[in-house]
Amino acid sequence: MDGKGVPAGLAAVADSAAELICGDGGSVRAYEELLDAVVRRAGRDRVGLAEALRPVADHWSGLHRPRTRAAQRLLAVVRAAVQPVGAEPRAARAGGGDWLETCQHEAARLVIDERVAEVCGWLRDGVTVPMLLAAPSRAGGAVDPRDLVMRLTEYERAGARPGPADLGQALLRCGGGGPVDCEVLRAAAELTLPEGPRVAAWLRQGGLPRPEWTVEQEPGPPQPPSRRRGARVGRRVLVGTGELPGRGDFPRTFWPLFRRFEPLIGCRHLLLGHRERHAAAVLPWHPEIVAARMLAEVAGTADQDGPGNAGGAEFLPALAASEGPPGPAVHLALAYGLGAGPDADREAAAAALTALAARDRLDGALLGGELARLVLLGTLRLPVVTESLRAAAGTASAGAAGSGAAGGGAGVVWPVLAAALPGLLAAVRAGALPRHHPPLLSLAADCARDSGARGTVVGVEELAGRPGSSQAVREARRLRNTLAAA
């Protein structure tokens, strides 16, 4: 942008807005920093902020719109900041009383949209607050309790009241990291804002409790793809979550996050592109709640065809970066991602796998078991999964130049393969799979070699002991010998 006559601070806000809106909305931190900067600057120099952001709004004044939901939301904030205060009739404003819950799969998006609508409402009405309470303290979206209490103290000094959506999001991002420091709890209890007792109670209880969950397979025998959409019926494994207490203290648009989630109840919203990194940041201490609601959409990247299923590749790495512990929903999301059709989704799944392992949060046995189950259901294609795991392992194909030279990821992938192989080998013996997949056995042998794995894998000895020299038998012998090496 031109920037002539614009103070350096405002020019930086405008430059950031232009970059993020023309891109994909940016990282959680960059996106939130821009929202916070606009809110802060609006309270100091609303006229100057409007002039600085006007070129950004004018750039998007035609029929074209940003390509991602996150960028579209930022553009809505920029447009609200550029408009004169009170220029838009209240009845025409987004959000508010006409909200109707239509689908629990949209739960995270509803929270994100409500908070942006609240910010836009402040800008249009001329309401100023010192800062956003929910601005993350960490890259994954979490808010430190100390930061939240300090921000609320600033609200007291300024005579401002927290927005329901911003405070609600701040609480959902806060308090999941174990016992809160006594000094912070004391400061929270001393807040004189009407919201002070609620915040103090939330921090004392440790934030939102973790729900119970159930792992459920679609009922009925697996069916082939339908002609209409290509969906495989009866071939998905999904996760449901139990009801959580306390929803009445939050805006109604937050309530779907608290409701019991029943994964086998379908709806028309499943493939509308709700997967984005900002969805994971809604509940950074509870990736399971978000993953469970997104799981059917992630599965669609693996068992449905067509360009409409691409996108949202940043969602899985964002889940892996969450502060809270991963469970069955996160690991199933990884499994579907490893078998996805779009290259970007498979790459994102491989990156998420290694990121979880780097934080010692990957349950290789759980992931391997789910991969085997989904392959046997026909949901995932074994060659696709094998290539994704090889990419995560960083191991060249057997016989290729440089084989085993980059074995840093082999120790990550080996537990996954060790858990998946017994079920897959048994399925071939029982006739549930037509044949062995030699590339998977080759990858297992490479990973066992490069990670120094020892022991046995059920079914490998039997296959390795067969007569003949087929590729599957040769790779099984290589794996057996590697695992038995002194």
Side-chain angles (χ1 to χ4, degrees):
M1 57 174 289
D2 187 335
K4 292 182 179 179
V6 178
L10 291 176
V13 173
D15 288 341
S16 176
E19 179 182 355
L20 297 183
I21 294 171
C22 289
D24 64 357
S27 66
V28 170
R29 188 179 292 278
Y31 171 96
E32 292 281 354
E33 285 179 349
L34 177 59
L35 287 180
D36 188 52
V38 170
V39 168
R40 289 173 182 265
R41 292 285 177 174
R44 301 173 189 170
D45 183 5
R46 175 60 186 270
V47 173
L49 177 68
E51 288 305 309
L53 292 177
R54 195 174 306 280
V56 182
D58 290 345
H59 177 78
W60 295 97
S61 60
L63 296 177
H64 297 290
R65 66 176 186 171
R67 61 185 178 87
T68 67
R69 289 178 180 270
Q72 291 165 19
R73 290 191 294 265
L74 291 178
L75 178 58
V77 171
V78 166
R79 286 172 171 166
V82 167
Q83 290 179 342
V85 172
E88 183 176 344
R90 181 172 295 275
R93 297 175 185 175
D98 61 349
W99 173 79
L100 176 66
E101 179 185 342
T102 57
C103 167
Q104 285 198 63
H105 297 95
E106 295 185 298
R109 184 189 66 80
L110 290 172
V111 172
I112 299 170
D113 288 351
E114 178 69 13
R115 183 158 166 257
V116 167
E118 183 174 84
V119 170
C120 290
W122 287 341
L123 294 169
R124 289 163 179 156
D125 290 340
V127 175
T128 60
V129 295
M131 75 283 287
L132 287 179
L133 297 172
S137 307
R138 309 182 196 181
V143 174
D144 288 338
R146 185 180 298 274
D147 289 343
L148 176 58
V149 174
M150 290 178 62
R151 292 167 188 172
L152 287 167
T153 303
E154 287 298 315
Y155 269 64
E156 283 186 349
R157 293 172 182 166
R161 290 292 301 277
D166 187 39
L167 177 59
Q169 175 64 100
L171 292 177
L172 292 179
R173 287 176 169 174
C174 188
V180 177
D181 185 87
C182 293
E183 180 184 345
V184 175
L185 287 176
R186 189 180 308 113
E190 292 172 355
L191 290 169
T192 59
L193 285 168
E195 295 82 4
R198 176 188 172 195
V199 173
W202 182 269
L203 295 180
R204 278 196 300 270
Q205 77 178 24
L208 189 70
R210 291 192 172 86
E212 297 179 353
W213 57 62
T214 58
V215 179
E216 305 177 38
Q217 183 180 326
E218 289 179 329
Q223 298 178 14
S226 68
R227 293 182 179 179
R228 184 171 68 88
R229 294 192 65 119
R232 274 81 166 168
V233 178
R235 297 192 178 191
R236 289 178 176 175
V237 179
L238 303 173
V239 174
T241 57
E243 186 173 357
L244 289 168
R247 73 183 186 194
D249 294 330
F250 290 80
R252 287 187 65 200
T253 42
F254 286 51
W255 288 9
L257 284 174
F258 292 78
R259 297 189 195 277
R260 177 187 176 194
F261 176 63
E262 300 177 85
L264 301 184
I265 297 178
C267 73
R268 62 185 177 88
H269 298 98
L270 293 185
L271 295 176
L272 295 184
H274 296 153
R275 287 172 295 133
E276 56 171 319
R277 59 176 67 97
H278 303 284
V282 168
L283 284 171
W285 294 104
H286 296 275
E288 283 294 290
I289 297 177
V290 178
R293 285 161 172 77
M294 299 287 184
L295 206 50
E297 189 177 334
V298 179
T301 65
D303 66 11
Q304 294 189 17
D305 299 321
N309 298 318
E314 75 271 19
F315 176 64
L316 294 177
L319 274 183
S322 293
E323 299 289 343
V330 171
H331 284 82
L332 276 165
L334 279 183
Y336 288 120
L338 291 169
D343 293 342
D345 287 286
R346 294 197 303 276
E347 293 167 2
L353 187 155
T354 54
L356 279 177
R359 302 172 65 198
D360 198 24
R361 291 190 167 187
L362 178 70
D363 187 334
L366 174 59
L367 178 58
E370 295 298 357
L371 284 171
R373 172 154 62 157
L374 293 170
V375 167
L376 295 178
L377 284 172
T379 308
L380 303 183
R381 295 183 289 272
L382 190 51
V384 175
V385 171
T386 301
E387 286 308 307
S388 296
L389 290 175
R390 186 172 288 282
T395 305
S397 300
S403 175
V412 172
V413 174
W414 168 247
V416 179
L417 293 168
L421 278 173
L424 295 173
L425 296 175
V428 176
R429 291 196 302 271
L433 279 181
R435 63 186 66 87
H436 294 290
H437 186 57
L440 183 69
L441 292 162
S442 172
L443 174 60
D446 291 341
C447 288
R449 176 197 64 207
D450 296 340
S451 64
R454 298 293 181 266
T456 60
V457 173
V458 175
V460 171
E461 183 72 31
E462 187 273 337
L463 177 58
R466 289 185 183 181
S469 59
S470 68
Q471 186 179 359
V473 171
R474 292 199 309 271
E475 295 297 346
R477 289 170 182 164
R478 188 161 71 93
L479 174 57
R480 178 197 61 188
N481 294 340
T482 298
L483 294 174

